[in-house]
Amino acid sequence: YLKHVFGDRVLHSGHTNYDLALDYFTLLYTMPTQALPIMCLVNREKNTGKSTMLWLMKEIFKENCTFIGNEELKDHLNDDWAARLVIGVDEGFIDKKTVIERLKSMSTSKFIKLRGMYKGRSEIGFFGKFVITSNDEDNFISIDKDETRFWVNKVPVIKKDDPLLVEKMAKEIPA
């Protein structure tokens, strides 16, 4: 599945995108406070497995993974996701410059202001990693060419659909 999502395209470094994915997940699991880029899985086609990646991450990281929508990113209240490791944004489309800048800032920040309804602000350590999926592969977010805080991957269409894929992968997690 990871080879399907990330592919075996050889990069300038000589490594494949799949190699980078293995490094990304190893760091995410063994060194959760390590800064990592915002993973973006895109393709205008349906049935690629983009959302399946979010569900797999939920299986791996359990309560330390949550899903939010575009509106939650714009909202100043963040107490439902600010203390999680993996923050998935399914069908993401981020068009506001302030939200983009906030995302970029959070991707490298060590602290964040926790804000809840009827509560004051408090500063907490922040180690969240954003994973964005989108069918709008060209315009889901405005990214400068020299920006290094986003890792954009175009996910190919799945050739053979397996409705039990997440359950099968979940059984492999302990290994």
Side-chain angles (χ1 to χ4, degrees):
Y1 174 74
L2 291 178
K3 277 196 176 180
H4 161 75
V5 171
F6 296 98
D8 53 7
R9 181 174 60 98
V10 178
L11 306 170
H12 295 296
S13 66
H15 298 285
T16 65
N17 233 16
Y18 172 70
D19 294 333
L20 291 182
L22 292 179
D23 287 348
Y24 185 96
F25 282 100
T26 299
L27 289 170
L28 190 60
Y29 194 80
T30 62
M31 301 175 71
T33 58
Q34 171 73 39
L36 293 171
I38 299 167
M39 182 190 303
C40 306
L41 303 175
V42 300
N43 193 328
R44 62 180 50 91
E45 302 289 329
K46 309 282 192 274
N47 200 34
T48 61
K50 298 182 299 285
S51 297
T52 301
M53 177 58 71
L54 293 178
W55 290 111
L56 175 60
M57 293 177 95
K58 182 69 169 173
E59 288 292 331
I60 294 169
F61 297 102
K62 301 291 185 195
E63 292 81 22
N64 213 0
C65 175
T66 191
F67 305 140
I68 62 174
N70 296 315
E71 291 306 311
E72 284 89 355
L73 278 176
K74 296 175 190 174
D75 193 350
H76 69 283
L77 302 176
N78 63 6
D79 61 344
D80 59 330
W81 57 264
R84 306 290 178 95
L85 175 62
V86 178
I87 305 155
V89 184
D90 201 14
E91 301 301 333
F93 180 78
I94 302 151
D95 58 347
K96 283 190 149 188
K97 182 94 171 136
T98 55
V99 176
I100 294 168
E101 293 303 319
R102 187 171 163 215
L103 256 179
K104 290 188 327 189
S105 172
M106 285 188 290
S107 74
T108 57
S109 181
K110 298 218 183 280
F111 298 95
I112 190 173
K113 294 287 185 184
L114 181 67
R115 296 177 179 140
M117 185 78 72
Y118 308 116
K119 296 179 185 173
R121 293 183 217 177
S122 59
E123 189 171 82
I124 62 168
F126 184 69
F127 48 86
K129 312 298 182 280
F130 292 94
V131 179
I132 302 171
T133 68
S134 181
N135 289 335
D136 189 348
E137 62 187 72
D138 298 320
N139 299 309
F140 72 97
I141 194 168
S142 176
I143 303 172
D144 295 333
K145 280 190 177 220
D146 59 344
E147 181 58 65
T148 60
R149 289 173 277 195
F150 292 90
W151 180 28
V152 181
N153 292 280
K154 183 172 179 177
V155 182
V157 175
I158 293 176
K159 292 178 176 100
K160 184 180 176 195
D161 195 18
D162 183 354
L164 301 175
L165 181 61
V166 174
E167 288 81 5
K168 289 176 182 177
M169 290 189 295
K171 289 178 184 174
E172 294 180 23
I173 292 170

